[in-house]
Amino acid sequence: MTKRWALVVVAGAFALAGCSSDLPNDKPTGGKSSSSDASRSKFFDQTEYDRQRAFRDAKPEGPDGRPWEQMLQPELVDTAKFAKPGGNYNLCFSNASVDNPWRQVGYKTMQQEVKLHPEITKFTVLDAEAKDDKQISDIQSLSAKNCAAIIISPNTTATLTPAVEQACATGVPVIVFDRGVNTRCQVTFIHPIGGFAFGVDGAEFLKEKVKPGGKVLALRILPGVDVLEQRWAAANEIFADSELDVVGVEFTDGDAAKTKSIVADYIQREGKLDGVWMDAGATAVAAVEAFQDAGADMPAIVGEDQQDFLRLWADEGLTAVAPTYPTYQWRTPIIAALKILKGEQVPKEWVLPQPRITGDDVKEYVKQDMPPLHYAMCGCEEMPGYPGPWK
């Protein structure tokens, strides 16, 4: 088996390194790669990788049809000391940002969840605008706003850890979700299964659908972001133990035009591509369009649950899979906060199901009346007012 890929240097966590879409001048070849050789990502963690793979097949606990209330293998903690009966709650939320469609859909869903609970009389929200310094200041500010509970979606992990610990020290229950921090002081940490599971879902699909020796192009957004690095580390593990020929690993910066250009260059260079793996699907449609423009055979492709990709998949009959990082998780922190304020037990780590969309069910998730970048896994279809707030 041959393994070929562009080498990428990670300049630092959460920083965009000086990456280029230029193709390599040569393609080194060698013997079969193994999961123990130099191809293994430094972000690979065998224990967590195995844990997340096991979670994919675990039966969730909780109400059927409401995955945002479900939990995988929970270890419940007592919250009696935080009980504050009577309602009239001011819930406070420090948000990393609303700078991309995924976060915008999630935040809209969270706002609608708040409206379902009359005991929440005030919802105080501060947007950090993707700036660590601002979020640190925001969290300090919330500590003085008579919050019944503080919800935090951290912008980055290490830098925000001290601010979360300071919030915990006030005695107000703290809930962390989406991205984690390096502390366990929060009452609960809420998240879907994780990046390793996402990466495995896509890579195993390509391993199944692409014949041995088939050429696969891996498209990534940017280096240094933990969840994205985990996605690639998991996929790299699968590919290294396969007969697939990984012809390139390229960063797109999440830009549709750049994605299209990269894919077009590889089609011209390689003659054909049999599979495209992506660590996030926002530019999946652009990748497909590159094949259409070149008149090339459509490969097996990994996307995500945005409407534009789901519609194209269904209309064109693509061979595709959509791992998800469901936006319904934005409902869970509100639900968790109310449980805590009622003194009810919650998981110390609240792991949510992380479904994937396949060719068997893709048409069930297509919503023709929703915006192109609306995420199907919002868990919002039965909420009052749908679809208005999400349009």
Side-chain angles (χ1 to χ4, degrees), residues 192-341:
I193 296 173
F196 289 124
F198 188 108
V200 167
D201 282 345
E204 285 190 339
F205 172 79
L206 293 181
K207 185 177 178 180
E208 174 188 349
K209 297 297 183 181
V210 178
K211 294 180 180 179
K215 298 177 179 181
V216 173
L217 173 62
L219 298 177
R220 304 185 57 197
I221 296 178
L222 73 169
V225 178
D226 58 356
V227 67
L228 300 177
E229 291 289 358
Q230 287 181 357
R231 291 176 184 183
W232 169 240
N236 191 40
E237 195 76 1
I238 301 295
F239 293 146
D241 196 31
S242 77
E243 297 297 328
L244 301 181
D245 183 3
V246 180
V247 297
V249 182
E250 298 287 350
F251 287 102
T252 69
D253 304 337
D255 180 83
K258 185 173 182 179
T259 299
K260 196 170 182 178
S261 176
I262 291 171
V263 175
D265 286 346
Y266 270 89
I267 293 171
Q268 183 177 16
R269 175 170 181 153
E270 299 293 334
K272 66 174 295 190
L273 292 173
D274 303 290
V276 175
W277 181 90
M278 306 186 78
D279 67 2
T283 60
V285 169
V288 171
E289 289 174 347
F291 287 91
Q292 293 174 328
D293 291 350
D297 292 339
M298 200 64 62
I301 187 169
V302 177
E304 209 169 342
D305 59 321
Q306 301 102 314
Q307 284 299 317
D308 60 352
F309 178 67
L310 299 182
R311 292 170 194 164
L312 184 62
W313 177 1
D315 291 344
E316 300 292 331
L318 302 179
T319 300
V321 70
T324 70
Y325 194 63
T327 49
Y328 60 59
Q329 68 183 280
W330 290 70
R331 300 185 67 169
T332 314
I334 304 301
I335 294 167
L338 294 177
K339 283 182 172 290
I340 293 166
L341 293 171

Side-chain angles (χ1 to χ4, degrees), residues 45 63 66 71 91 139 180-181 199 215 249 268 284 298 310 365:
D45 180 316
R66 300 177 66 83
M71 52 196 75
L91 289 192
I139 293 171
V181 286
K215 298 177 179 181
V249 182
Q268 183 177 16
M298 200 64 62
L310 299 182
Y365 293 97

Side-chain angles (χ1 to χ4, degrees), residues 75-83 148-152 164 167-169 171-177 181 183-190 333 336-341 343-350:
E75 294 183 11
L76 299 178
V77 295
D78 183 74
T79 67
K81 68 179 181 179
F82 297 112
I150 298 176
I151 299 167
I152 301 172
V164 172
C168 292
V172 174
V174 173
I175 298 153
V176 174
F177 87 101
V181 286
T183 181
R184 289 177 58 83
C185 75
Q186 63 271 13
V187 180
T188 183
F189 171 35
I190 299 163
L338 294 177
K339 283 182 172 290
I340 293 166
L341 293 171
E344 299 176 6
Q345 291 184 327
V346 296
K348 183 64 178 177
E349 182 184 14
W350 192 325

Side-chain angles (χ1 to χ4, degrees), residues 31-50:
K32 180 174 179 178
S33 298
S34 73
S35 59
S36 61
D37 66 16
S39 71
R40 172 172 275 177
S41 167
K42 71 176 184 179
F43 288 88
F44 183 76
D45 180 316
Q46 186 71 55
T47 300
E48 183 61 18
Y49 175 80
D50 292 342

